[in-house]
Amino acid sequence: MLLALEKLLVLQHCDQQIRDVVLTLEALPREKESCDRDASRAAQRLDAAQAQRRELEKELKKLDGDILSKKEQIARYKTQQLETRKNEEYAALRHEVEVAEKVIAEIEERQLVLMEKGEALTQDLETAQAAHDVEMKRIGKILSTLDGRRENLSQRREELQQQRPRLCEGIEEDLLERYDRLFKSKEGNAIVAIENNVCMGCHMKVTTQTVLAARAEKEMINCSQCGRILYNDEDELVLQKK
Ligand SMILES: [Zn+2]
């Protein structure tokens, strides 16, 4: 294999690692945002369950108050009954008492229905609370690793970037520029193998002439479709054994 090509492949391996590290680093804030969104959704679900429960308790309390005021009304009617001497008025008051007692019975029935509903809501709330706790634990775990991961990745990036100038040594400037441009435009794949007469970058068949030229190892060969620098896949095996 051409020495320059071999050097470029080693450089590309380093650059690909840098690229992966950078992409992972760039994804970390999005991961945090996604965690924050999940956390707020979990909180909202719990809030909704709590609000329903509170609403029901409020209504039950109000009904208690309604019963109390009806009972006070009845007491007043009974006092008035004791005070009156007129039979008609006495009968009218007795009727009022009966009406009020009926209202109380209705309210108590409504309370029973609500209490049953309350039991179901309590169950819902417990389920929501448990789901919330599980979700927050999961999110907490991810968030707690983010800083550590960022630090490790930054350190790795720095190490790789420190290696890079040494790997560039001995590569002609023009070639290096060409490689850099390709690496950027081809998303980290500037130099690719020819396998079974196919360019492993664009997966198009290359000409026999290109295959032979790559095997001859006299000059840098580019894929005529995608422009990537090509090497013979048999050379890869040689390279791996080194
Ligand atoms: Zn190609």
Side-chain angles (χ1 to χ4, degrees):
M1 184 181 256
L2 283 170
L3 183 64
L5 194 53
E6 202 176 312
K7 279 178 181 292
L8 278 182
L9 272 172
V10 175
L11 177 63
Q12 175 170 269
H13 182 63
C14 173
D15 281 343
Q16 282 170 342
Q17 290 179 77
I18 293 175
R19 187 172 183 273
D20 286 347
V21 167
V22 168
L23 288 176
T24 312
L25 267 172
E26 282 171 1
L28 289 184
R30 286 198 294 277
E31 209 171 318
K32 175 160 189 327
E33 279 166 24
S34 147
C35 279
D36 290 345
R37 269 198 307 276
D38 288 348
S40 93
R41 266 201 292 267
Q44 274 169 11
R45 279 195 291 266
L46 184 59
D47 278 351
Q50 282 168 339
Q52 264 187 310
R53 187 83 185 79
R54 270 199 307 275
E55 203 54 46
L56 186 113
E57 273 161 15
K58 216 168 90 186
E59 201 180 339
L60 276 173
K61 214 169 172 183
K62 182 193 165 290
L63 293 179
D64 276 342
D66 291 350
I67 290 176
L68 200 67
S69 72
K70 279 288 162 200
K71 281 184 175 165
E72 281 164 3
Q73 217 174 23
I74 290 170
R76 275 199 303 277
Y77 292 145
K78 286 191 170 164
T79 312
Q80 285 170 354
Q81 271 182 321
L82 291 177
E83 285 163 356
T84 185
R85 292 214 161 87
K86 294 175 192 162
N87 279 342
E88 254 174 52
E89 207 177 311
Y90 188 90
L93 285 165
R94 196 178 57 197
H95 177 69
E96 289 300 333
V97 168
E98 279 167 6
V99 169
E101 278 170 346
K102 213 175 145 202
V103 171
I104 289 177
E106 279 166 9
I107 295 173
E108 280 171 346
E109 235 169 85
R110 169 97 185 114
Q111 277 184 321
L112 278 179
V113 173
L114 285 181
M115 275 191 267
E116 253 175 60
K117 198 175 154 193
E119 275 169 35
L121 284 181
T122 304
Q123 202 85 44
D124 288 352
L125 188 57
E126 276 169 20
T127 309
Q129 182 72 59
H132 173 267
D133 293 350
V134 168
E135 181 69 344
M136 292 313 280
K137 210 171 156 187
R138 178 187 75 83
I139 293 167
K141 237 184 221 170
I142 297 174
L143 289 178
S144 72
T145 65
L146 277 183
D147 285 342
R149 276 158 67 202
R150 187 180 304 111
E151 212 166 291
N152 285 343
L153 286 164
S154 302
Q155 201 182 332
R156 179 83 187 121
R157 182 180 54 187
E158 217 163 288
E159 283 166 11
L160 287 163
Q161 274 165 346
Q162 272 170 8
Q163 284 175 20
R164 201 180 182 275
R166 193 173 46 79
L167 303 180
C168 292
E169 274 171 26
I171 303 174
E172 270 179 54
E173 212 169 301
D174 284 358
L175 182 60
L176 205 53
E177 274 175 22
R178 206 168 102 201
Y179 159 80
D180 279 337
R181 271 199 307 277
L182 275 171
F183 189 86
K184 280 197 190 89
S185 66
K186 304 298 176 195
E187 291 173 346
N189 266 315
I191 311 158
V192 294
I194 306 173
E195 272 180 41
N196 303 317
N197 299 347
V198 169
C199 162
M200 285 293 107
C202 64
H203 301 281
M204 300 289 277
K205 220 169 161 63
V206 296
T207 61
T208 312
Q209 200 186 351
T210 305
V211 176
L212 293 176
R215 277 192 199 148
E217 296 178 1
K218 292 266 189 323
E219 54 179 345
M220 287 289 170
I221 306 298
N222 289 77
C223 171
S224 59
Q225 347 272 340
C226 69
R228 287 181 177 90
I229 300 167
L230 295 171
Y231 67 93
N232 205 355
D233 64 331
E234 285 153 24
D235 284 343
E236 194 172 27
L237 300 174
V238 176
L239 203 67
Q240 277 167 3
K241 277 178 199 155
K242 274 192 184 174

